[in-house]
């Protein structure tokens, strides 16, 4: 029997999920909802699905097995709770919520169902380059330091600091949690601005294991660029960049980087969709779960306080 899925949010991320779900056998995207009719129509056209402008109605519908939430970040928690209460499996784009309190409310709602049903779209765990680093680390002994660099292309949008943390750096925060297998204990954040624009954020974190993590975030104009380096007891691992040919032309050698995360993480998103569906069919959450979403949000909360106070801030772990 096919898995009947509703997709909430038909912006770039929603459309990416629609395309990836449609490529899977036995998955039917039944309805696409977006608060804006024109977007709902575009998403529904891609899927050959019904269009709706009632995201909460979709979350609550009883003829769907699962929903993907890819609406604006501040709607994630309420939509996830509505879907959980209607007994649906959920793939919720990151962040799970924009506050620790709301992420905890999602977890409380999920707990009432008696089984895990929420996966969070922290898709780097499916990225082949990140997985290679994870594999290499198993041979290198204890992790000493992780260096994560995230150059973003939201340059034409002046984003406040909390949004940069919860929308972008949350990926790196979760990567550190995943690769180290431990929690952050404290963070120190430094922020460089030009007027309102945040140009650069540096987050130095300490982990329960004693390892350290540095996350460098920059709004870049040239392309979307993510780097990872793990320094361990017996050596280090450097994440590969996606394989691209070198084009020599007009007296120059050129290698394409890409303008956004859709290009850099194409494969990760595809694998994520397939793994999520397999997990839903098995009645399991196999990828990053709501506890991972909450853990990351706790680090975000501490990072915001650190940036405001200039102090090193302990991460509240509940
Ligand atoms: C976006 O939602 C992502 O997932 C990207 O990885 C991140 O770099 C970007 O800033 C977000 O807006």
């Amino acid at each position: 029997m096919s898995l009947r899925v509703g997709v909430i949010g038909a912006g770039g991320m929603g459309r990416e999920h629609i395309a990836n779900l449609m490529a899977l056998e036995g998955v039917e995207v039944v309805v696409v909802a977006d608060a804006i009719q024109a977007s709902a129509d575009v998403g529904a056209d891609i899927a050959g699905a019904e269009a709706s402008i009632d995201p909460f109605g979709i979350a609550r519908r009883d003829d769907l097995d699962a929903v993907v939430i890819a609406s604006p970040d501040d709607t994630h928690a309420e939509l996830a709770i509505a879907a959980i209460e209607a007994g649906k499996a959920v793939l919720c784009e990151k962040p799970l919520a924009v506050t620790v309190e709301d992420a905890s409310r999602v977890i409380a709602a999920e707990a009432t169902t008696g089984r895990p049903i929420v996966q969070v779209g922290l898709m780097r765990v499916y990225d082949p380059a990140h997985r290679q680093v994870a594999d290499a680390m198993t041979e290198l002994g204890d992790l000493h330091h992780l260096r994560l660099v995230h150059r973003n292309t939201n340059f034409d949008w002046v984003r406040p600091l909390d949004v940069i943390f919860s929308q972008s750096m949350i990926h790196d925060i979760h990567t550190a949690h995943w690769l180290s297998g431990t929690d952050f204990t404290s963070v120190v954040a430094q922020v460089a601005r030009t007027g309102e624009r945040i140009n650069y954020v540096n987050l130095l974190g300490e982990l329960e294991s004693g390892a350290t993590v540095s996350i460098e975030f920059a709004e870049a104009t040239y392309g979307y660029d993510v780097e990872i380096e793990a320094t361990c007891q017996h050596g280090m691992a450097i994440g590969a960049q996606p394989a691209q040919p070198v084009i020599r032309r007009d007296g120059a050698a050129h290698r394409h980087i890409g303008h956004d995360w859709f290009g850099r993480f194409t494969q990760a998103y595809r694998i994520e969709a397939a793994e999520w569906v397999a997990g839903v069919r098995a009645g399991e959450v196999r990828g990053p779960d709501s506890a991972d979403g909450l853990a990351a949000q706790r680090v975000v909360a501490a990072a915001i306080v650190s940036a405001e106070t200039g102090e090193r801030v302990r991460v509240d772990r509940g």
Side-chain angles (χ1 to χ4, degrees), residues 126-197:
Y126 301 110
D127 173 51
H130 281 70
R131 293 202 85 103
Q132 286 168 355
V133 171
D135 288 347
M137 284 171 67
T138 62
E139 309 278 316
L140 294 175
D142 295 342
L143 173 67
H144 289 175
H145 182 69
L146 260 182
R147 176 171 171 264
L148 305 170
V149 181
H150 187 154
R151 296 190 194 91
N152 202 260
T153 45
N154 283 315
F155 191 75
D156 49 4
W157 176 27
V158 176
R159 294 188 299 167
L161 185 62
D162 60 328
V163 174
I164 288 179
F165 280 132
S166 67
Q167 195 168 72
S168 296
M169 294 177 75
I170 199 157
H171 283 296
D172 310 276
I173 290 168
H174 178 256
T175 299
H177 174 68
W178 161 52
L179 288 177
S180 68
T182 56
D183 284 327
F184 281 74
T185 52
S186 69
V187 287
V188 184
Q190 283 181 313
V191 182
R193 303 172 200 256
T194 308
E196 290 287 292
R197 173 178 294 288

